[in-house]
Amino acid sequence: MTIMDTIKSAGFYLAVAVIVLVAVFPFYYAILTSFETGTALFEVNYVPSSLDWSNYATILNNGTFPRNVLNSLFVAATTVAFALFLAVTASYALARVRFRGRGLLLMTILAVSMFPQIAVLAGLFELIRFLNIYNTPWAMILSYTIFTLPFTVWVLTTFMRDLPLEIEEAAIVDGATPWVIITKVFLPLLWPALVTTGLLAFIGAWNEFLFALTFTSSETTRTVPVAIALLSGATQHETPWGTIMAASVLVTVPLIALVLIFQRKIVAGLTAGGVKG
Amino acid sequence: MANIELRNVRKSFGAFDVIKGIDLDIRKGEFMVFVGPSGCGKSTLLRLIAGLETITSGDLIFDGERMNNLVPSKRGIAMVFQSYALYPHMNVFDNMAFGLKLANSTPTETRKRVEKAADMLQIGHLLDRLPRQLSGGQRQRVAIGRAIVRDPRVFLFDEPLSNLDAALRVATRLEIAKLHHDMRDVTMIYVTHDQVEAMTLADRICVLRDGVVEQVGTPSELYERPNSLFVAGFIGSPKMNFLNGRLAGAHGCHTLGIRSEHIDIVDESAIWRGGVIHAEELGSDNYLFVDIGAQDPIVVRQAGKRQIPYGTKIGLRPVADHLHRFDERGTPIR
């Protein structure tokens, strides 16, 4: 009996270990590689053999890389801001205002998210040329917002529908306009959903490659994923693995930090939401 | 502070008529209770008065002024909701002050009014708490406080006690009655499905059924002179006894109604006879269920505390002055 229990829990932790290993190992190996130079790059090792910061120095003095990071930050943050603003106002209407064709509109919004990026790439490119925002951050902000909105709107609409109707009516009796209801009453209650959707939108915008590659042409407007992919070595035939890995680690750390910070907020928000009435 | 008039007020949701033409006068400072079974439209009627639903046709008039198209906050109303509807992220003070802040009241004025209302309801020590840190009864008081702070001319209650447990319900009922005594010139409208709440709180009761007014009157008018079979059966606990067929025919009507306290247990001169099949002892009262051959057993309030064993045949005699006779359509024969 006890032996069976021991085997069971051993098996459980073994499975956990395997999952963690598979999930974390690539990133761990990237960190290892980022500290290596020269031929050490091509020797297989699983523990750090040297602590060489030169790859980081190279990438940070690369000239455009810090600029690329700032571009990415700006694009992702602005995308989140736009997406959340539009999604909150839209979801209030979709969840709380009765109008003809509401169900159809919701389905249409969902349908937008079904198009593969590559299918709309050409059309979007034309649009961006027409708007005269090619090779600017706005090209990416526009396209990311378009692709993030359906998900954000859906999540917030479902969330908003679950907020008690009587709270809204109490606010109406208190003299609140829809704008006041959204900002003063609903937003504080929507925090958990906002953090979750905002974070996902941020990660999506931060990682996106195809649009960023297509809609930029100069090194100074590129975002980080494109910049990393286009890093070149001393000669055409050399791939600078060390610097690529250092850059990858640098751009992953902010994401991990964000998730860790907001994870607490998400949990706190969810438990605070357990208010009856 | 308002006279409320409803003139042929109607409300439909699509093809479905909920309120089918209501005419009603509610006097200044009156405590009016809307009562009726679920789905009778009483909550909808309250929401029409509040302005949370639009009136399909007819007029809603406060002090001679037509209110149909005014937003709720401009009508001078305050509303207490069934689920309290407090803002969960605001403390008690902010909950009560929210409306004043939106109306651009000064901070000193706001504080003064909130504290006055909080003192009235004895929730002054809770002002810094969040709603989730309060008990159900405290939450309901905060909700009432939020309404008082608005200094309304009409106070609307939408089943405010139905989320409270039995003991708290009685206590809060008393609070609301006191509130009505303290705020003599504020008109109060109260919706409930509980006829005991209606009887104990109301100056006048409006009984609704299927979107129309069945009867309006003081609790005792409704109790003693119900205008229809429905009102007779709805008002009063235990429910009025109804006899049909031969037993009613003997009194020249289709349905005969008699309340449990208007039946005497007699040995001679009995009109009905039957066996005791069940007894409910409530301490102060004893209710006997007697099978006299009618559809349902007749309920009799027993005056003394005389134990009557089950199955005993007893004789019953209704008090002649308190017989309610109804014809086939349920209208009273007087």
Side-chain angles (χ1 to χ4, degrees):
Chain A
M1 194 60 194
T2 44
I3 295 174
M4 273 304 283
D5 282 350
T6 321
I7 294 174
K8 267 186 191 165
S9 66
F12 173 75
Y13 285 109
L14 193 70
V16 170
V18 168
I19 291 168
V20 170
L21 192 71
V22 169
V24 176
F25 182 75
F27 186 61
Y28 173 72
Y29 204 75
I31 297 175
L32 280 189
T33 312
S34 71
F35 286 117
E36 291 164 358
T37 49
T39 52
L41 279 172
F42 302 101
E43 285 160 19
V44 179
N45 58 321
Y46 300 109
V47 287
S49 56
S50 62
L51 197 63
D52 185 348
W53 291 91
S54 64
N55 287 325
Y56 290 92
T58 314
I59 195 70
L60 289 175
N61 296 322
N62 176 296
T64 58
F65 187 76
R67 177 67 200 264
N68 299 139
V69 173
L70 286 182
N71 286 343
S72 268
L73 269 181
F74 176 70
V75 168
T78 316
T79 302
V80 169
F82 276 158
L84 286 187
F85 173 76
L86 290 173
V88 166
T89 43
S91 61
Y92 175 75
L94 288 167
R96 286 304 167 84
V97 183
R98 271 178 260 165
F99 59 90
R100 200 180 281 272
R102 182 165 69 164
L104 186 69
L105 190 59
L106 265 172
M107 290 320 288
T108 314
I109 292 171
L110 191 64
V112 169
S113 65
M114 293 172 189
F115 291 108
Q117 280 189 317
I118 195 76
V120 297
L121 192 63
L124 208 51
F125 187 78
E126 285 303 314
L127 179 69
I128 277 161
R129 291 298 292 264
F130 172 76
L131 292 173
N132 213 6
I133 52 175
Y134 177 72
N135 201 23
T136 68
W138 302 107
M140 281 158 301
I141 290 167
L142 176 73
S143 48
Y144 297 168
T145 308
I146 291 172
F147 270 82
T148 302
L149 265 179
F151 173 75
T152 319
V153 167
W154 265 82
V155 170
L156 290 183
T157 303
T158 345
F159 221 90
M160 192 116 40
R161 248 185 219 151
D162 288 343
L163 294 178
L165 193 61
E166 287 197 336
I167 290 186
E168 185 184 353
E169 289 177 343
I172 292 174
V173 171
D174 268 341
T177 57
W179 178 246
V180 172
I181 292 174
I182 293 174
T183 53
K184 295 270 176 62
V185 180
F186 279 177
L187 266 192
L189 302 177
L190 283 175
W191 261 121
L194 288 181
V195 168
T196 319
T197 50
L199 202 58
L200 287 173
F202 189 91
I203 293 172
W206 186 265
N207 289 338
E208 204 282 334
F209 180 76
L210 183 61
F211 287 160
L213 179 69
T214 316
F215 300 148
T216 55
S217 59
S218 62
E219 283 191 344
T220 50
T221 48
R222 276 176 199 149
T223 55
V224 161
V226 181
I228 292 176
L230 299 183
L231 274 180
S232 52
T235 71
Q236 209 183 344
H237 303 288
E238 187 201 336
T239 308
W241 288 115
T243 30
I244 288 177
M245 290 305 163
S248 306
V249 170
L250 277 182
V251 300
T252 313
V253 168
L255 285 193
I256 294 177
L258 271 181
V259 171
L260 287 183
I261 293 168
F262 282 115
Q263 202 175 28
R264 285 198 188 148
K265 291 243 170 192
I266 294 170
V267 173
L270 284 177
T271 45
V275 186
K276 187 191 149 217
Chain B
M1 280 173 278
N3 257 322
I4 301 173
E5 295 166 58
L6 287 88
R7 294 281 164 263
N8 197 19
V9 168
R10 290 170 186 276
K11 174 68 184 174
S12 340
F13 291 108
F16 186 63
D17 295 331
V18 185
I19 302 290
K20 299 166 186 165
I22 285 188
D23 286 290
L24 184 64
D25 282 316
I26 302 169
R27 295 175 207 129
K28 198 171 280 201
E30 185 170 46
F31 200 118
M32 171 66 89
V33 175
F34 294 165
V35 70
S38 47
C40 69
K42 56 189 189 299
S43 274
T44 307
L45 188 58
L46 189 79
R47 294 165 60 81
L48 290 176
I49 295 172
L52 291 170
E53 303 281 354
T54 52
I55 296 171
T56 307
S57 72
D59 295 313
L60 170 68
I61 296 159
F62 286 8
D63 289 331
E65 202 185 332
R66 194 166 179 270
M67 288 287 143
N68 289 40
N69 301 320
L70 231 57
V71 295
S73 54
K74 299 268 184 263
R75 294 186 183 194
I77 55 139
M79 188 151 170
V80 177
F81 294 86
Q82 182 178 355
S83 69
Y84 327 130
L86 301 176
Y87 311 120
H89 57 291
M90 296 184 197
N91 66 24
V92 170
F93 181 89
D94 288 333
N95 259 288
M96 290 167 74
F98 189 63
L100 292 179
K101 282 179 185 163
L102 289 179
N104 289 325
S105 162
T106 62
T108 20
E109 171 72 11
T110 306
R111 178 153 287 278
K112 212 175 80 190
R113 277 165 73 171
V114 170
E115 277 169 359
K116 193 176 153 218
D119 284 346
M120 238 171 119
L121 296 161
Q122 288 147 19
I123 50 172
H125 58 294
L126 302 174
L127 288 177
D128 295 327
R129 304 250 189 112
L130 287 173
R132 67 166 174 274
Q133 298 165 318
L134 304 178
S135 68
Q138 289 170 330
R139 284 182 206 182
Q140 193 53 283
R141 280 190 200 191
V142 174
I144 293 172
R146 179 171 66 183
I148 293 175
V149 165
R150 293 181 51 77
D151 194 16
R153 49 181 178 169
V154 183
F155 229 123
L156 306 173
F157 295 92
D158 190 3
E159 308 209 15
L161 305 185
S162 44
N163 276 357
L164 302 176
D165 63 46
L168 211 50
R169 199 174 298 172
V170 175
T172 314
R173 198 167 75 198
L174 192 68
E175 296 270 338
I176 293 175
K178 261 167 57 192
L179 198 69
H180 176 50
H181 293 307
D182 293 344
M183 305 173 84
R184 262 288 155 217
D185 46 0
V186 178
T187 311
M188 297 192 175
I189 306 177
Y190 187 104
V191 164
T192 181
H193 60 265
D194 179 357
Q195 56 91 20
V196 178
E197 270 173 40
M199 295 293 280
T200 49
L201 286 169
D203 292 328
R204 284 198 303 158
I205 297 175
C206 172
V207 183
L208 290 158
R209 182 196 191 188
D210 291 335
V212 292
V213 174
E214 280 276 321
Q215 188 174 359
V216 184
T218 64
S220 59
E221 275 170 14
L222 262 58
Y223 191 79
E224 280 152 22
R225 291 178 65 80
N227 254 344
S228 66
L229 195 61
F230 175 78
V231 175
F234 194 79
I235 300 288
S237 169
K239 202 170 170 288
M240 185 187 280
N241 295 298
F242 290 126
L243 304 172
N244 290 316
R246 185 178 51 79
L247 293 167
H251 289 84
C253 59
H254 182 260
T255 306
L256 182 70
I258 181 78
R259 295 200 186 276
S260 63
E261 69 267 33
H262 296 141
I263 305 173
D264 295 329
I265 302 172
V266 289
D267 294 331
E268 286 130 42
S269 73
I271 292 187
W272 304 313
R273 282 187 182 281
V276 177
I277 58 166
H278 180 58
E280 282 180 356
E281 282 189 42
L282 302 179
S284 59
D285 292 309
N286 270 357
Y287 291 103
L288 299 178
F289 291 69
V290 185
D291 180 13
I292 57 165
Q295 220 168 4
D296 299 310
I298 190 165
V299 184
V300 180
R301 194 171 82 175
Q302 190 191 354
K305 288 236 168 174
R306 188 159 55 100
Q307 287 292 332
I308 299 180
Y310 295 139
T312 314
K313 294 258 180 218
I314 57 171
L316 301 174
R317 182 182 181 81
V319 180
D321 289 350
H322 292 285
L323 282 173
H324 300 272
R325 300 185 303 144
F326 300 94
D327 64 16
E328 306 83 59
R329 282 165 300 149
T331 45
I333 308 168
R334 285 182 180 135

